[in-house]
Amino acid sequence: MENILEISGLCKSYNDFALKNISFSIPKGYIMGFVGQNGSGKTTTIRSILNMANIDSGKISVFGLDSIKDSVEIKERLGVVFDQLYFAEHLNVRQIESQISPFYREWNSEQFSKYLKEFELPENKSVGDFSKGMKMKFMIAVALSHNAELIILDEPTSGLDPVARDELLDILAEYITDENRGVLFSTHITADVERIADYITVLHNGSVWFTGEKDELAEKYAVIKGDENDIPEKIKDKLIGFHAYKNGFDALIETDVLSCLPDSIEAEKASIDEILVYIAKEAKYAGNS
């Protein structure tokens, strides 16, 4: 399976934060959800892919090209959507088109007009006066109007109402029907990832905690609850984010250990949200121990 994006051993250090040996890949024709707590390293990783951050070590390949040496060609084939508008807000959509279209060999003004109409974006209004949802749709329209092969979204649904979020997910689902394309979708709204992603990468504290198929993650972990006294001694060190309270406990555990538990302990499938919460609990516990 050919990958549209490959990251291997990415390291990047700041004074108070570091990416540590980040490695994952996205096959062509798929959407990868990119999740983790705020400050886990998602935006720094995206900035590194876009060559907006000087990495310390590692290699990033996009379309089989080197992210540093071939940065200009890569950016021409990329579409990027951030949580904030990155165009001059005093301009209208046609003025912005006239500025950016020369940078793309495959800019398609007819396609752009089609998206403006489909997304009901006014042509004579300053984009700074657009709503949050309209700004997001405008960035999507730009990304889809120059035949982008990979779309990278950094928290695009932050602050959007449910209708606008649903529209974005529909747009991405239609976009990915071309099996030569790919999507990296960074978000803290894990329900969106649950709905649309094929693969998932979980970052925690600058490291990859999990990367693989979304269904694999769903099958790998469970939340268990019950009486703390019923926990077999041999699996106590396998509990993630253990939390004891007055009437029992809860924790995350890998499903291959469930057979070691007594019937008195309940187990249920873990959602992505729950996995992130228990990872955070585990880190807090480790940091205080």
Side-chain angles (χ1 to χ4, degrees):
M1 190 180 294
E2 188 178 354
N3 294 323
I4 200 165
L5 171 67
E6 294 182 356
I7 300 178
S8 178
L10 169 62
C11 296
K12 170 66 180 175
S13 296
Y14 294 100
N15 290 335
D16 56 352
F17 177 77
L19 291 179
K20 301 176 281 288
N21 198 33
I22 301 294
S23 298
F24 66 87
S25 60
I26 305 175
K28 282 187 175 181
Y30 293 96
I31 296 175
M32 172 169 280
F34 196 37
V35 301
Q37 290 178 275
N38 289 338
S40 61
K42 301 188 301 296
T43 295
T44 301
T45 302
I46 288 173
R47 286 174 55 82
S48 299
I49 295 169
L50 299 174
N51 198 25
M52 295 169 64
N54 296 319
I55 65 175
D56 298 332
S57 60
K59 183 174 182 180
I60 302 172
S61 174
V62 189
F63 317 121
L65 303 172
D66 184 271
S67 65
I68 298 174
K69 293 190 298 183
D70 304 308
S71 178
V72 174
E73 181 177 349
I74 287 172
K75 287 178 180 177
E76 182 164 323
R77 298 166 63 183
L78 277 179
V80 182
V81 179
F82 293 118
D83 66 334
Q84 298 291 329
L85 191 70
Y86 46 82
F87 299 109
E89 296 200 358
H90 66 285
L91 301 179
N92 64 41
V93 296
R94 289 301 181 186
Q95 291 170 323
I96 292 174
E97 181 190 16
S98 69
Q99 289 187 343
I100 63 175
S101 57
F103 291 97
Y104 298 105
R105 287 192 299 263
E106 295 196 39
W107 180 264
N108 188 328
S109 188
E110 184 177 331
Q111 185 81 351
F112 184 63
S113 297
K114 170 181 169 288
Y115 283 118
L116 294 182
K117 184 176 180 180
E118 181 180 335
F119 297 159
E120 298 180 339
L121 298 175
E123 295 191 14
N124 297 317
K125 187 176 182 179
S126 298
V127 296
D129 294 329
F130 283 6
S131 68
K132 178 85 174 179
M134 291 166 67
K135 289 176 180 177
M136 180 272 294
K137 288 179 184 177
F138 177 58
M139 288 186 284
I140 287 283
V142 171
L144 298 180
S145 296
H146 59 89
N147 197 29
E149 298 163 54
L150 172 64
I151 292 184
I152 296 176
L153 306 103
D154 189 12
E155 300 285 359
T157 54
S158 176
L160 291 184
D161 62 68
V163 174
R165 280 174 51 209
D166 188 68
E167 288 175 338
L168 172 61
L169 299 186
D170 286 343
I171 291 165
L172 295 179
E174 181 179 352
Y175 170 80
I176 207 68
T177 56
D178 184 331
E179 295 183 355
N180 290 311
R181 294 171 172 172
V183 174
L184 178 63
F185 184 19
S186 169
T187 180
H188 67 278
I189 303 176
T190 56
D192 294 343
V193 173
E194 300 259 16
R195 173 179 159 184
I196 200 171
D198 308 290
Y199 289 80
I200 187 167
T201 293
V202 180
L203 284 195
H204 178 67
N205 194 27
S207 297
V208 173
W209 191 83
F210 174 88
T211 187
E213 294 183 16
K214 182 184 67 179
D215 291 345
E216 179 188 346
L217 178 64
E219 294 168 2
K220 190 172 182 179
Y221 294 96
V223 175
I224 59 173
K225 301 175 182 179
D227 187 326
E228 182 178 354
N229 295 320
D230 292 341
I231 304 172
E233 193 67 34
K234 63 182 179 181
I235 71 158
K236 285 187 175 180
D237 62 348
K238 299 183 184 298
L239 302 180
I240 301 168
F242 175 86
H243 173 64
Y245 46 91
K246 184 177 179 180
N247 297 318
F249 82 95
D250 58 60
L252 188 72
I253 196 168
E254 293 193 21
T255 52
D256 60 5
V257 186
L258 292 178
S259 60
C260 301
L261 297 175
D263 293 340
S264 59
I265 293 180
E266 300 177 7
E268 57 187 35
K269 178 181 176 182
S271 68
I272 298 173
D273 249 357
E274 288 173 322
I275 289 170
L276 295 179
V277 168
Y278 283 104
I279 294 171
K281 284 183 181 179
E282 181 72 11
K284 184 177 180 180
Y285 174 82
N288 293 332
S289 61

